[in-house]
Amino acid sequence: MKHFLIIVLLILSFNTKAEWFEVVGYGGIVDGDTASARQMAVKDAITQALIFSGATVSSVQTVADGVLEQDELKIKTHGQIQHVNLINEQQQGEQYSVTLHLDIIPQQAQCRESKFNKQITVTQSQLTHPDQARLGQIFDIPKASSQRLFNTLNERNMGVKMIPYIDRKLDVRAFFAQQFEYNANLIDTLSRSSNSQYVLLSQITDISKGRKMNNDYAFWESESYMRNFKIDFALFDSQTNDQVWSQHYSTQGIWPHEKTQIVNVNSEEFWRTDYGQKIQTIFNKVGQDLNTAVSCLKTTGKILMIDSDRVVINLGQSHGLEAGQVLSILHRSNLTASNGVQYSHHIQTIEQVVVEQVNAQSAIARNLSDRPLSNIQLNDIIKVVVKEPESFTLE
């Protein structure tokens, strides 16, 4: 019988109806410490279950005092997790896995804006030190990890919808420089090609080899090393070209392969290793952090077409738009500095439209007033108004 302490800091309120989730968690065994690996696997499983349930979690360090037995995991909770059952646990090489069955009470929305989905373009990460990829010949790690990140975020029940833009390599170094002298045209191009309000850029800054795991005198053992994985993320709003979220993540995992072995980073075998699972843990945390960062931001779009008293906009069902919702119109009037840098400037108008027809990625909205729409132009900004249409009718 092993005791462990796991704390979960939840920041939102919950509904009363519970749902069952079955998840598998993984933990790497370092220096033969199976107890820590088991605890890490339980923590990983609980984290995944909370994300799948739609929870916004600031950190998962402890859920409650509990006991992990062979047949059951007992956790005393006062909040979101009601029951936890241990379905299976096993050790395979240097990896420990547990399968948990959890009864979770989903959360309520923290703000009314969170009912609208935010579309985010996921781009291919840039490897800042390609020479570090020689160990294992993992030069495909930027694309493979970006694909893994997209799959992770796309599977989560969150208020964001991920759009992949992974096949093309991008030079994103300027977006992470302290001077912030980046080319906003790249953000605009990516946004238009994917119909996303937000663009997620990343750079992998360190995949170097760390300390050796096994003893030099144990010549009969295969060499194992710790390996670093550090990555930076930056999220940009294409409507304003502003950076709305950024975060740095760092981890280490066991690299069990021989120095001359060529490793396939696109294989499931790679992602099942301790190193792959440590990277996966980062991506799980990115999902939590992204959801928290954008859930209460305003949902905005663009006017694609104007036809008399109707407009076509680039928001639709995938964004959470529904017929009858009211939209406010803002003029786009960017300001240009002496050095040529443009700054986003939006002018609020009194014009408002009501959604008549909703498609997957677009909608048709009608003028809410008998007064004709004036000075409305293509690419003007559309903002969702979280109020009833009757509040904005003009007599």
Side-chain angles (χ1 to χ4, degrees):
M1 182 181 300
K2 305 226 180 249
H3 294 270
F4 65 92
L5 188 65
I6 306 176
I7 294 174
V8 175
L9 303 178
L10 302 175
I11 59 177
L12 300 182
S13 58
F14 312 112
N15 292 320
T16 57
K17 184 179 179 181
E19 298 180 16
W20 281 100
F21 296 87
E22 184 172 312
V23 291
V24 180
Y26 299 92
I29 302 173
V30 180
D31 296 333
D33 188 356
T34 56
S36 295
R38 188 191 222 192
Q39 178 178 342
M40 185 183 302
V42 172
K43 175 180 172 181
D44 179 52
I46 292 175
T47 303
Q48 292 187 59
L50 290 171
I51 297 174
F52 276 120
S53 71
T56 300
V57 184
S58 59
S59 71
V60 176
Q61 296 174 336
T62 314
V63 172
D65 291 313
V67 178
L68 180 59
E69 300 176 345
Q70 184 62 33
D71 59 343
E72 184 180 9
L73 173 66
K74 299 178 181 178
I75 295 182
K76 299 177 182 178
T77 62
H78 302 284
Q80 189 170 10
I81 299 178
Q82 296 300 295
H83 301 93
V84 182
N85 294 323
L86 175 64
I87 305 302
N88 181 47
E89 60 177 315
Q90 60 180 337
Q91 177 181 343
Q92 292 181 334
E94 296 177 329
Q95 182 171 268
Y96 203 97
S97 66
V98 298
T99 303
L100 300 183
H101 202 178
L102 301 96
D103 188 8
I104 299 178
I105 298 178
Q107 67 188 25
Q108 294 177 344
Q110 185 184 26
C111 54
R112 289 181 295 180
E113 287 79 6
S114 65
K115 67 178 291 187
F116 300 102
N117 297 325
K118 280 72 177 180
Q119 290 199 167
I120 300 178
T121 299
V122 180
T123 61
Q124 182 179 147
S125 187
Q126 182 177 14
L127 184 60
T128 59
H129 300 287
D131 57 296
Q132 295 177 348
R134 292 195 183 118
L135 178 61
Q137 301 293 302
I138 57 171
F139 296 99
D140 289 338
I141 191 68
K143 184 177 180 180
S145 60
S146 298
Q147 183 66 57
R148 188 78 178 189
L149 173 67
F150 167 76
N151 293 341
T152 299
L153 302 182
N154 198 45
E155 292 169 355
R156 301 312 195 231
N157 181 23
M158 303 187 301
V160 294
K161 179 178 175 57
M162 313 312 297
I163 308 297
Y165 195 88
I166 299 171
D167 291 336
R168 178 184 169 189
K169 293 183 178 179
L170 301 174
D171 185 358
V172 300
R173 287 170 295 185
F175 292 88
F176 293 91
Q178 293 182 352
Q179 293 82 3
F180 293 102
E181 295 178 354
Y182 52 81
N183 184 4
N185 290 332
L186 176 61
I187 301 297
D188 185 61
T189 300
L190 294 171
S191 171
R192 283 188 284 104
S193 63
S194 59
N195 194 33
S196 298
Q197 181 179 350
Y198 299 96
V199 175
L200 182 65
L201 304 177
S202 62
Q203 60 175 5
I204 301 173
T205 59
D206 187 6
I207 55 171
S208 62
K209 182 179 68 174
R211 65 182 177 89
K212 190 175 181 180
M213 296 296 299
N214 51 320
N215 195 313
D216 289 334
Y217 294 103
F219 56 85
W220 58 87
E221 295 181 355
S222 299
E223 290 186 335
S224 295
Y225 296 86
M226 296 298 291
R227 190 165 193 171
N228 298 308
F229 186 84
K230 298 179 181 178
I231 188 169
D232 298 325
F233 287 96
L235 184 70
F236 290 84
D237 187 341
S238 64
Q239 304 287 16
T240 62
N241 295 325
D242 290 336
Q243 183 186 103
V244 295
W245 174 78
S246 65
Q247 191 62 264
H248 170 77
Y249 300 88
S250 177
T251 190
Q252 277 190 329
I254 300 173
W255 184 259
H257 308 287
E258 299 286 347
K259 289 184 178 180
T260 57
Q261 181 178 349
I262 299 177
V263 178
N264 181 10
V265 292
N266 294 296
S267 68
E268 192 62 28
E269 180 182 0
F270 168 80
W271 292 102
R272 291 297 186 189
T273 64
D274 179 67
Y275 186 65
Q277 285 300 309
K278 292 296 178 58
I279 299 175
Q280 181 63 60
T281 300
I282 286 180
F283 293 163
N284 292 342
K285 186 65 167 65
V286 171
Q288 302 169 28
D289 294 343
L290 265 180
N291 195 39
T292 301
V294 305
S295 61
C296 291
L297 296 181
K298 299 290 185 182
T299 299
T300 60
K302 299 177 183 178
I303 294 179
L304 303 177
M305 178 180 175
I306 304 173
D307 183 13
S308 183
D309 64 341
R310 285 175 171 81
V311 295
V312 178
I313 63 174
N314 68 338
L315 298 177
Q317 290 177 344
S318 61
H319 301 85
L321 208 63
E322 298 176 352
Q325 289 174 331
V326 173
L327 308 174
S328 179
I329 300 178
L330 293 80
H331 287 316
R332 185 191 295 269
S333 180
N334 293 341
L335 304 177
T336 304
S338 58
N339 58 358
V341 177
Q342 283 198 343
Y343 296 92
S344 177
H345 182 221
H346 300 155
I347 302 174
Q348 179 72 55
T349 72
I350 62 173
E351 311 293 351
Q352 291 180 331
V353 292
V354 60
V355 178
E356 280 189 334
Q357 176 182 319
V358 184
N359 305 314
Q361 292 286 332
S362 64
I364 299 175
R366 171 181 50 82
N367 185 6
L368 195 59
S369 171
D370 294 333
R371 176 175 42 80
L373 296 174
S374 59
N375 299 321
I376 303 302
Q377 301 178 1
L378 297 182
N379 292 322
D380 274 350
I381 303 300
I382 284 287
K383 181 174 65 175
V384 177
V385 178
V386 191
K387 289 184 179 180
E388 295 296 328
E390 288 78 13
S391 301
F392 296 93
T393 53
L394 297 176
E395 300 296 331

